Amino acid sequence: MTPLQLVFLLTAALTLVAAFRVVTTRNLVHAALWLVVTLFGVAVLFVLLNAPFLAVVQVVVYIGAIAVLFIFAIMLTRREMRDQGAQLNKGWWAAALVSLLTFGGLFWLTRSWDGFTRTAAPLPTGQDTLSALGKALVSPDAFVLPFEIASVLLLAALVGAVYVAYREK
Amino acid sequence: MIPLSWYLILSAALFSLGLFGVLARKNAVAILLGIELMLNAVNVNLVAFWRYGNLTSIAGQVFAIIVFAVSAAEVAVGLALVISVYRRRKTIVADEIDMLKW
């Protein structure tokens, strides 16, 4: 077993345990903190996949902004649903069945694909992934239109969020 | 080297855990936490297919960035809705927010 495989297995175990705690823990503040652990594990996976820029974006945007937003929302709505009482539906066993079936289906589907056990080709030397990514995002014959649409969507969503959460005097 | 299958199995498991959270949790904020897990599983898949596929095309990473933007938008709107509902109805249990159900 190579060191990289060991790092992957440790990260994967940490990520999955943290994700399991996110969906099962009673205390919602703890669930949000376990979400931070999961997001950090995914950032490590991005580093293992030679995508360091995405790892940094994951830490800055997901952990820095989204997870903190979750903690704020939990603090603002905590009074009603304290940490006692059932946190899961009555039909949680059906949900567990559906998600197990989803996992089995995805596993079976990807297993039947012949690229399943493919290993990564080494990165070509002299190719700068980050500058290629930056150029692809603003180049008219690549992804400038989806990129601009995503930014307009984000702006519209933020204006909408301010409007929805605004308290009328 | 790490085979592609490891990433695919990990992200399938992460997606299923998120799905369980969305389906089984009572609290609306916890449902949004499950959606975040599912979006992260999708991102792991996108970047893994970029790395193990054709490296001259950068589309996988661009898609992952767009997923980041969409999930930030989704969380902002979702949490604003949750706070607004909490202010009007004094509850964020998803089962009790059923005025549109007949």
Side-chain angles (χ1 to χ4, degrees), chain A residues 6-56:
Chain A
L6 195 66
V7 171
F8 177 90
L9 287 180
L10 287 176
T11 314
L14 178 73
T15 309
L16 288 182
V17 168
F20 185 74
R21 297 296 294 156
V22 170
V23 295
T24 53
T25 189
R26 308 179 68 81
N27 188 331
L28 263 187
V29 179
H30 292 180
L33 295 177
W34 281 113
L35 180 77
V36 171
V37 176
T38 313
L39 298 175
F40 202 78
V42 174
V44 174
L45 292 182
F46 286 159
V47 173
L48 286 179
L49 284 166
N50 300 96
F53 175 68
L54 287 184
V56 173

Side-chain angles (χ1 to χ4, degrees), chain B residues 46-57:
Chain B
L46 284 172
V47 181
F49 278 123
W50 164 75
R51 181 67 187 87
Y52 288 77
N54 181 8
L55 279 172
T56 53
S57 155

Side-chain angles (χ1 to χ4, degrees), chain B residues 24-101:
Chain B
R25 283 285 220 170
K26 277 176 129 173
N27 192 316
V29 179
I31 292 174
L32 287 172
L33 288 175
I35 294 177
E36 286 310 305
L37 290 182
M38 292 164 83
L39 286 169
N40 264 279
V42 171
N43 259 353
V44 170
N45 249 6
L46 284 172
V47 181
F49 278 123
W50 164 75
R51 181 67 187 87
Y52 288 77
N54 181 8
L55 279 172
T56 53
S57 155
I58 201 80
Q61 288 206 32
V62 174
F63 261 75
I65 287 180
I66 289 175
V67 171
F68 278 133
V70 170
S71 87
E74 168 258 324
V75 165
V77 174
L79 291 179
L81 278 173
V82 167
I83 289 173
S84 179
V85 165
Y86 175 71
R87 217 177 260 151
R88 281 159 204 267
R89 310 279 313 265
K90 292 290 167 218
T91 179
I92 49 167
V93 180
D95 290 343
E96 295 171 6
I97 308 168
D98 55 358
M99 279 178 76
L100 284 177
K101 203 163 89 178

Side-chain angles (χ1 to χ4, degrees), chain A residues 121-140:
Chain A
L123 277 180
T125 50
Q127 189 200 359
D128 187 2
T129 321
L130 185 53
S131 75
L133 178 64
K135 280 177 188 149
L137 280 178
V138 292
S139 148

Side-chain angles (χ1 to χ4, degrees), chain A residues 135-148:
Chain A
K135 280 177 188 149
L137 280 178
V138 292
S139 148
D141 42 344
F143 298 101
V144 69
L145 198 59
F147 183 63
E148 294 299 331

Side-chain angles (χ1 to χ4, degrees), chain A residues 57-164:
Chain A
V57 172
Q58 172 93 1
V59 171
V60 171
V61 174
Y62 257 107
I63 300 180
I66 294 181
V68 172
L69 202 60
F70 267 113
I71 293 174
F72 267 110
I74 291 166
M75 297 290 181
L76 283 174
T77 58
R78 190 116 180 267
R79 214 179 331 151
E80 193 56 32
M81 219 177 156
R82 286 181 204 275
D83 304 319
Q84 61 264 31
Q87 294 287 322
L88 296 179
N89 280 332
K90 278 196 291 282
W92 66 270
W93 55 271
L97 191 67
V98 167
S99 45
L100 273 179
L101 282 178
T102 308
F103 178 72
L106 284 172
F107 183 68
W108 177 78
L109 202 67
T110 48
R111 228 185 100 89
S112 58
W113 175 51
D114 55 0
F116 188 56
T117 53
R118 184 185 287 186
T119 51
L123 277 180
T125 50
Q127 189 200 359
D128 187 2
T129 321
L130 185 53
S131 75
L133 178 64
K135 280 177 188 149
L137 280 178
V138 292
S139 148
D141 42 344
F143 298 101
V144 69
L145 198 59
F147 183 63
E148 294 299 331
I149 291 175
S151 35
V152 172
L153 171 75
L154 192 57
L155 177 68
L158 292 183
V159 173
V162 170
Y163 176 74
V164 167

